[in-house]
PDB file of all heavy atoms in Angstrom:
ATOM      1  N   GLY A 498     -51.624  47.651  42.064  1.00  0.00           N
ATOM      2  CA  GLY A 498     -50.911  48.956  41.928  1.00  0.00           C
ATOM      3  C   GLY A 498     -51.583  49.958  40.974  1.00  0.00           C
ATOM      4  O   GLY A 498     -50.985  50.956  40.606  1.00  0.00           O
ATOM      5  N   GLN A 499     -52.885  49.708  40.692  1.00  0.00           N
ATOM      6  CA  GLN A 499     -53.583  50.635  39.782  1.00  0.00           C
ATOM      7  C   GLN A 499     -54.370  51.650  40.640  1.00  0.00           C
ATOM      8  O   GLN A 499     -55.592  51.643  40.805  1.00  0.00           O
ATOM      9  CB  GLN A 499     -54.575  49.815  38.898  1.00  0.00           C
ATOM     10  CG  GLN A 499     -53.821  48.875  37.963  1.00  0.00           C
ATOM     11  CD  GLN A 499     -54.807  47.954  37.224  1.00  0.00           C
ATOM     12  OE1 GLN A 499     -54.940  46.756  37.545  1.00  0.00           O
ATOM     13  NE2 GLN A 499     -55.464  48.483  36.218  1.00  0.00           N
ATOM     14  N   PHE A 500     -53.616  52.559  41.247  1.00  0.00           N
ATOM     15  CA  PHE A 500     -54.159  53.412  42.268  1.00  0.00           C
ATOM     16  C   PHE A 500     -55.153  54.469  41.677  1.00  0.00           C
ATOM     17  O   PHE A 500     -56.118  54.818  42.358  1.00  0.00           O
ATOM     18  CB  PHE A 500     -53.025  54.155  42.972  1.00  0.00           C
ATOM     19  CG  PHE A 500     -52.031  53.232  43.595  1.00  0.00           C
ATOM     20  CD1 PHE A 500     -50.676  53.480  43.493  1.00  0.00           C
ATOM     21  CD2 PHE A 500     -52.442  52.109  44.236  1.00  0.00           C
ATOM     22  CE1 PHE A 500     -49.729  52.641  44.068  1.00  0.00           C
ATOM     23  CE2 PHE A 500     -51.537  51.194  44.824  1.00  0.00           C
ATOM     24  CZ  PHE A 500     -50.171  51.479  44.757  1.00  0.00           C
ATOM     25  N   LEU A 501     -54.919  54.947  40.482  1.00  0.00           N
ATOM     26  CA  LEU A 501     -55.769  55.907  39.909  1.00  0.00           C
ATOM     27  C   LEU A 501     -57.197  55.354  39.640  1.00  0.00           C
ATOM     28  O   LEU A 501     -58.198  56.032  39.770  1.00  0.00           O
ATOM     29  CB  LEU A 501     -55.179  56.460  38.570  1.00  0.00           C
ATOM     30  CG  LEU A 501     -53.914  57.280  38.723  1.00  0.00           C
ATOM     31  CD1 LEU A 501     -53.360  57.636  37.316  1.00  0.00           C
ATOM     32  CD2 LEU A 501     -54.155  58.506  39.544  1.00  0.00           C
ATOM     33  N   GLU A 502     -57.210  54.099  39.234  1.00  0.00           N
ATOM     34  CA  GLU A 502     -58.494  53.432  39.027  1.00  0.00           C
ATOM     35  C   GLU A 502     -59.224  53.142  40.316  1.00  0.00           C
ATOM     36  O   GLU A 502     -60.447  53.151  40.382  1.00  0.00           O
ATOM     37  CB  GLU A 502     -58.328  52.143  38.202  1.00  0.00           C
ATOM     38  CG  GLU A 502     -57.828  52.310  36.795  1.00  0.00           C
ATOM     39  CD  GLU A 502     -56.351  52.427  36.680  1.00  0.00           C
ATOM     40  OE1 GLU A 502     -55.671  52.614  37.735  1.00  0.00           O
ATOM     41  OE2 GLU A 502     -55.770  52.341  35.563  1.00  0.00           O
ATOM     42  N   GLU A 504     -59.082  54.823  43.347  1.00  0.00           N
ATOM     43  CA  GLU A 504     -59.556  55.915  44.254  1.00  0.00           C
ATOM     44  C   GLU A 504     -60.991  56.309  44.035  1.00  0.00           C
ATOM     45  O   GLU A 504     -61.774  56.412  44.965  1.00  0.00           O
ATOM     46  CB  GLU A 504     -58.620  57.144  44.112  1.00  0.00           C
ATOM     47  CG  GLU A 504     -59.000  58.254  45.058  1.00  0.00           C
ATOM     48  CD  GLU A 504     -58.064  59.417  45.052  1.00  0.00           C
ATOM     49  OE1 GLU A 504     -57.209  59.495  44.108  1.00  0.00           O
ATOM     50  OE2 GLU A 504     -58.180  60.261  45.920  1.00  0.00           O
ATOM     51  N   PRO A 505     -61.457  56.654  42.767  1.00  0.00           N
ATOM     52  CA  PRO A 505     -62.837  57.046  42.638  1.00  0.00           C
ATOM     53  C   PRO A 505     -63.842  56.003  43.071  1.00  0.00           C
ATOM     54  O   PRO A 505     -64.902  56.338  43.549  1.00  0.00           O
ATOM     55  CB  PRO A 505     -62.936  57.348  41.093  1.00  0.00           C
ATOM     56  CG  PRO A 505     -61.742  56.639  40.471  1.00  0.00           C
ATOM     57  CD  PRO A 505     -60.682  56.682  41.478  1.00  0.00           C
ATOM     58  N   LEU A 535     -54.974  52.862  50.388  1.00  0.00           N
ATOM     59  CA  LEU A 535     -54.632  53.338  49.057  1.00  0.00           C
ATOM     60  C   LEU A 535     -53.754  54.624  49.141  1.00  0.00           C
ATOM     61  O   LEU A 535     -52.770  54.664  48.375  1.00  0.00           O
ATOM     62  CB  LEU A 535     -55.979  53.695  48.353  1.00  0.00           C
ATOM     63  CG  LEU A 535     -55.792  54.234  46.879  1.00  0.00           C
ATOM     64  CD1 LEU A 535     -55.204  53.223  45.985  1.00  0.00           C
ATOM     65  CD2 LEU A 535     -57.169  54.749  46.355  1.00  0.00           C
ATOM     66  N   TYR A 536     -54.077  55.475  50.057  1.00  0.00           N
ATOM     67  CA  TYR A 536     -53.250  56.671  50.160  1.00  0.00           C
ATOM     68  C   TYR A 536     -51.822  56.325  50.747  1.00  0.00           C
ATOM     69  O   TYR A 536     -50.828  56.836  50.326  1.00  0.00           O
ATOM     70  CB  TYR A 536     -53.920  57.685  51.110  1.00  0.00           C
ATOM     71  CG  TYR A 536     -55.164  58.336  50.478  1.00  0.00           C
ATOM     72  CD1 TYR A 536     -56.256  58.652  51.279  1.00  0.00           C
ATOM     73  CD2 TYR A 536     -55.166  58.638  49.150  1.00  0.00           C
ATOM     74  CE1 TYR A 536     -57.394  59.220  50.715  1.00  0.00           C
ATOM     75  CE2 TYR A 536     -56.307  59.201  48.557  1.00  0.00           C
ATOM     76  CZ  TYR A 536     -57.380  59.531  49.382  1.00  0.00           C
ATOM     77  OH  TYR A 536     -58.531  60.080  48.815  1.00  0.00           O
ATOM     78  N   ALA A 538     -50.233  53.573  50.302  1.00  0.00           N
ATOM     79  CA  ALA A 538     -49.432  52.954  49.206  1.00  0.00           C
ATOM     80  C   ALA A 538     -48.804  53.976  48.323  1.00  0.00           C
ATOM     81  O   ALA A 538     -47.752  53.696  47.658  1.00  0.00           O
ATOM     82  CB  ALA A 538     -50.319  51.994  48.379  1.00  0.00           C
ATOM     83  N   GLN A 539     -49.382  55.161  48.288  1.00  0.00           N
ATOM     84  CA  GLN A 539     -48.793  56.283  47.470  1.00  0.00           C
ATOM     85  C   GLN A 539     -48.038  57.243  48.344  1.00  0.00           C
ATOM     86  O   GLN A 539     -47.678  58.345  47.924  1.00  0.00           O
ATOM     87  CB  GLN A 539     -49.962  57.013  46.753  1.00  0.00           C
ATOM     88  CG  GLN A 539     -50.772  56.137  45.850  1.00  0.00           C
ATOM     89  CD  GLN A 539     -52.022  56.840  45.326  1.00  0.00           C
ATOM     90  OE1 GLN A 539     -51.972  57.632  44.332  1.00  0.00           O
ATOM     91  NE2 GLN A 539     -53.173  56.589  45.923  1.00  0.00           N
ATOM     92  N   ARG A 540     -47.761  56.855  49.594  1.00  0.00           N
ATOM     93  CA  ARG A 540     -46.987  57.620  50.563  1.00  0.00           C
ATOM     94  C   ARG A 540     -47.657  58.968  50.914  1.00  0.00           C
ATOM     95  O   ARG A 540     -47.038  59.910  51.295  1.00  0.00           O
ATOM     96  CB  ARG A 540     -45.603  57.867  50.055  1.00  0.00           C
ATOM     97  CG  ARG A 540     -44.841  56.614  49.731  1.00  0.00           C
ATOM     98  CD  ARG A 540     -43.446  56.831  49.223  1.00  0.00           C
ATOM     99  NE  ARG A 540     -42.752  55.585  48.896  1.00  0.00           N
ATOM    100  CZ  ARG A 540     -41.537  55.475  48.378  1.00  0.00           C
ATOM    101  NH1 ARG A 540     -40.860  56.570  48.103  1.00  0.00           N
ATOM    102  NH2 ARG A 540     -41.011  54.324  48.072  1.00  0.00           N
ATOM    103  N   LEU A 541     -48.978  58.958  50.815  1.00  0.00           N
ATOM    104  CA  LEU A 541     -49.746  60.104  51.229  1.00  0.00           C
ATOM    105  C   LEU A 541     -50.262  59.908  52.687  1.00  0.00           C
ATOM    106  O   LEU A 541     -51.449  59.777  52.975  1.00  0.00           O
ATOM    107  CB  LEU A 541     -50.981  60.300  50.283  1.00  0.00           C
ATOM    108  CG  LEU A 541     -50.605  60.437  48.790  1.00  0.00           C
ATOM    109  CD1 LEU A 541     -51.886  60.419  47.965  1.00  0.00           C
ATOM    110  CD2 LEU A 541     -49.824  61.743  48.576  1.00  0.00           C
ATOM    111  N   GLN A 544     -52.898  62.044  54.576  1.00  0.00           N
ATOM    112  CA  GLN A 544     -54.300  61.822  54.178  1.00  0.00           C
ATOM    113  C   GLN A 544     -54.817  60.478  54.744  1.00  0.00           C
ATOM    114  O   GLN A 544     -55.992  60.347  55.052  1.00  0.00           O
ATOM    115  CB  GLN A 544     -54.449  61.797  52.668  1.00  0.00           C
ATOM    116  CG  GLN A 544     -54.209  63.184  52.031  1.00  0.00           C
ATOM    117  CD  GLN A 544     -54.270  63.091  50.496  1.00  0.00           C
ATOM    118  OE1 GLN A 544     -53.289  63.335  49.815  1.00  0.00           O
ATOM    119  NE2 GLN A 544     -55.411  62.784  49.976  1.00  0.00           N
ATOM    120  N   TYR A 691     -46.544  49.079  39.744  1.00  0.00           N
ATOM    121  CA  TYR A 691     -45.910  49.978  40.691  1.00  0.00           C
ATOM    122  C   TYR A 691     -44.906  49.246  41.565  1.00  0.00           C
ATOM    123  O   TYR A 691     -43.786  49.685  41.781  1.00  0.00           O
ATOM    124  CB  TYR A 691     -46.977  50.653  41.508  1.00  0.00           C
ATOM    125  CG  TYR A 691     -46.495  51.450  42.687  1.00  0.00           C
ATOM    126  CD1 TYR A 691     -46.245  52.831  42.506  1.00  0.00           C
ATOM    127  CD2 TYR A 691     -46.310  50.911  43.926  1.00  0.00           C
ATOM    128  CE1 TYR A 691     -45.833  53.638  43.613  1.00  0.00           C
ATOM    129  CE2 TYR A 691     -45.867  51.689  45.016  1.00  0.00           C
ATOM    130  CZ  TYR A 691     -45.643  53.044  44.825  1.00  0.00           C
ATOM    131  OH  TYR A 691     -45.219  53.783  45.901  1.00  0.00           O
ATOM    132  N   ILE A 723     -41.502  52.676  33.917  1.00  0.00           N
ATOM    133  CA  ILE A 723     -42.801  52.361  34.577  1.00  0.00           C
ATOM    134  C   ILE A 723     -43.290  53.623  35.323  1.00  0.00           C
ATOM    135  O   ILE A 723     -44.450  53.976  35.231  1.00  0.00           O
ATOM    136  CB  ILE A 723     -42.582  51.187  35.580  1.00  0.00           C
ATOM    137  CG1 ILE A 723     -42.284  49.915  34.815  1.00  0.00           C
ATOM    138  CG2 ILE A 723     -43.863  51.025  36.437  1.00  0.00           C
ATOM    139  CD1 ILE A 723     -41.935  48.712  35.769  1.00  0.00           C
ATOM    140  N   ARG A 724     -42.374  54.308  36.016  1.00  0.00           N
ATOM    141  CA  ARG A 724     -42.807  55.519  36.745  1.00  0.00           C
ATOM    142  C   ARG A 724     -43.302  56.563  35.771  1.00  0.00           C
ATOM    143  O   ARG A 724     -44.310  57.235  36.066  1.00  0.00           O
ATOM    144  CB  ARG A 724     -41.601  56.049  37.492  1.00  0.00           C
ATOM    145  CG  ARG A 724     -40.966  55.107  38.545  1.00  0.00           C
ATOM    146  CD  ARG A 724     -41.844  54.902  39.713  1.00  0.00           C
ATOM    147  NE  ARG A 724     -41.089  54.192  40.808  1.00  0.00           N
ATOM    148  CZ  ARG A 724     -41.703  53.521  41.747  1.00  0.00           C
ATOM    149  NH1 ARG A 724     -43.023  53.427  41.806  1.00  0.00           N
ATOM    150  NH2 ARG A 724     -40.931  52.948  42.692  1.00  0.00           N
ATOM    151  N   GLN A 725     -42.627  56.702  34.606  1.00  0.00           N
ATOM    152  CA  GLN A 725     -43.056  57.694  33.666  1.00  0.00           C
ATOM    153  C   GLN A 725     -44.438  57.388  33.121  1.00  0.00           C
ATOM    154  O   GLN A 725     -45.271  58.309  32.944  1.00  0.00           O
ATOM    155  CB  GLN A 725     -42.011  57.732  32.547  1.00  0.00           C
ATOM    156  CG  GLN A 725     -42.250  58.851  31.529  1.00  0.00           C
ATOM    157  CD  GLN A 725     -42.093  60.272  32.180  1.00  0.00           C
ATOM    158  OE1 GLN A 725     -41.345  60.432  33.148  1.00  0.00           O
ATOM    159  NE2 GLN A 725     -42.861  61.222  31.638  1.00  0.00           N
ATOM    160  N   MET A 726     -44.696  56.124  32.820  1.00  0.00           N
ATOM    161  CA  MET A 726     -46.033  55.751  32.312  1.00  0.00           C
ATOM    162  C   MET A 726     -47.122  56.033  33.341  1.00  0.00           C
ATOM    163  O   MET A 726     -48.187  56.456  33.005  1.00  0.00           O
ATOM    164  CB  MET A 726     -46.016  54.323  31.937  1.00  0.00           C
ATOM    165  CG  MET A 726     -45.319  53.939  30.629  1.00  0.00           C
ATOM    166  SD  MET A 726     -45.996  54.878  29.213  1.00  0.00           S
ATOM    167  CE  MET A 726     -47.707  54.233  29.235  1.00  0.00           C
ATOM    168  N   GLN A 727     -46.784  55.853  34.646  1.00  0.00           N
ATOM    169  CA  GLN A 727     -47.760  56.102  35.702  1.00  0.00           C
ATOM    170  C   GLN A 727     -48.059  57.641  35.759  1.00  0.00           C
ATOM    171  O   GLN A 727     -49.193  58.055  35.943  1.00  0.00           O
ATOM    172  CB  GLN A 727     -47.208  55.652  37.022  1.00  0.00           C
ATOM    173  CG  GLN A 727     -47.159  54.107  37.120  1.00  0.00           C
ATOM    174  CD  GLN A 727     -46.506  53.601  38.376  1.00  0.00           C
ATOM    175  OE1 GLN A 727     -45.772  54.371  39.026  1.00  0.00           O
ATOM    176  NE2 GLN A 727     -46.670  52.370  38.678  1.00  0.00           N
ATOM    177  N   LYS A 728     -47.035  58.466  35.555  1.00  0.00           N
ATOM    178  CA  LYS A 728     -47.207  59.883  35.589  1.00  0.00           C
ATOM    179  C   LYS A 728     -48.106  60.333  34.400  1.00  0.00           C
ATOM    180  O   LYS A 728     -48.999  61.202  34.540  1.00  0.00           O
ATOM    181  CB  LYS A 728     -45.881  60.638  35.526  1.00  0.00           C
ATOM    182  CG  LYS A 728     -45.077  60.513  36.828  1.00  0.00           C
ATOM    183  CD  LYS A 728     -43.736  61.270  36.712  1.00  0.00           C
ATOM    184  CE  LYS A 728     -42.903  61.153  37.972  1.00  0.00           C
ATOM    185  NZ  LYS A 728     -41.663  61.846  37.840  1.00  0.00           N
ATOM    186  N   ILE A 729     -47.839  59.732  33.223  1.00  0.00           N
ATOM    187  CA  ILE A 729     -48.601  60.047  32.039  1.00  0.00           C
ATOM    188  C   ILE A 729     -50.104  59.673  32.217  1.00  0.00           C
ATOM    189  O   ILE A 729     -51.021  60.463  31.930  1.00  0.00           O
ATOM    190  CB  ILE A 729     -48.044  59.355  30.765  1.00  0.00           C
ATOM    191  CG1 ILE A 729     -46.666  59.964  30.478  1.00  0.00           C
ATOM    192  CG2 ILE A 729     -48.961  59.533  29.616  1.00  0.00           C
ATOM    193  CD1 ILE A 729     -45.929  59.187  29.401  1.00  0.00           C
ATOM    194  N   THR A 730     -50.312  58.482  32.779  1.00  0.00           N
ATOM    195  CA  THR A 730     -51.643  58.034  33.026  1.00  0.00           C
ATOM    196  C   THR A 730     -52.341  58.928  33.952  1.00  0.00           C
ATOM    197  O   THR A 730     -53.523  59.290  33.819  1.00  0.00           O
ATOM    198  CB  THR A 730     -51.612  56.587  33.592  1.00  0.00           C
ATOM    199  OG1 THR A 730     -50.902  55.734  32.655  1.00  0.00           O
ATOM    200  CG2 THR A 730     -53.023  56.080  33.808  1.00  0.00           C
ATOM    201  N   LYS A 731     -51.649  59.361  35.045  1.00  0.00           N
ATOM    202  CA  LYS A 731     -52.240  60.246  36.024  1.00  0.00           C
ATOM    203  C   LYS A 731     -52.605  61.585  35.437  1.00  0.00           C
ATOM    204  O   LYS A 731     -53.660  62.167  35.682  1.00  0.00           O
ATOM    205  CB  LYS A 731     -51.279  60.458  37.214  1.00  0.00           C
ATOM    206  CG  LYS A 731     -51.838  61.255  38.345  1.00  0.00           C
ATOM    207  CD  LYS A 731     -50.891  61.275  39.552  1.00  0.00           C
ATOM    208  CE  LYS A 731     -51.546  62.014  40.731  1.00  0.00           C
ATOM    209  NZ  LYS A 731     -50.642  62.007  41.904  1.00  0.00           N
ATOM    210  N   ALA A 732     -51.755  62.083  34.590  1.00  0.00           N
ATOM    211  CA  ALA A 732     -52.015  63.375  33.880  1.00  0.00           C
ATOM    212  C   ALA A 732     -53.191  63.286  32.984  1.00  0.00           C
ATOM    213  O   ALA A 732     -54.011  64.241  32.901  1.00  0.00           O
ATOM    214  CB  ALA A 732     -50.734  63.826  33.138  1.00  0.00           C
ATOM    215  N   LEU A 733     -53.335  62.156  32.346  1.00  0.00           N
ATOM    216  CA  LEU A 733     -54.472  61.965  31.429  1.00  0.00           C
ATOM    217  C   LEU A 733     -55.822  61.846  32.188  1.00  0.00           C
ATOM    218  O   LEU A 733     -56.874  62.236  31.694  1.00  0.00           O
ATOM    219  CB  LEU A 733     -54.276  60.719  30.573  1.00  0.00           C
ATOM    220  CG  LEU A 733     -53.125  60.802  29.529  1.00  0.00           C
ATOM    221  CD1 LEU A 733     -52.946  59.462  28.837  1.00  0.00           C
ATOM    222  CD2 LEU A 733     -53.413  61.882  28.503  1.00  0.00           C
TER     223      LEU A 733
END
Side-chain angles (χ1 to χ4, degrees):
Q499 297 173 257
F500 303 139
L501 293 176
E502 293 86 347
E504 184 176 13
L535 178 65
Y536 290 145
Q539 300 172 82
R540 302 179 183 178
L541 303 172
Q544 291 178 246
Y691 172 90
I723 294 173
R724 301 290 191 202
Q725 187 64 30
M726 285 302 300
Q727 289 172 344
K728 289 180 180 179
I729 293 172
T730 303
K731 186 173 184 180
L733 292 175

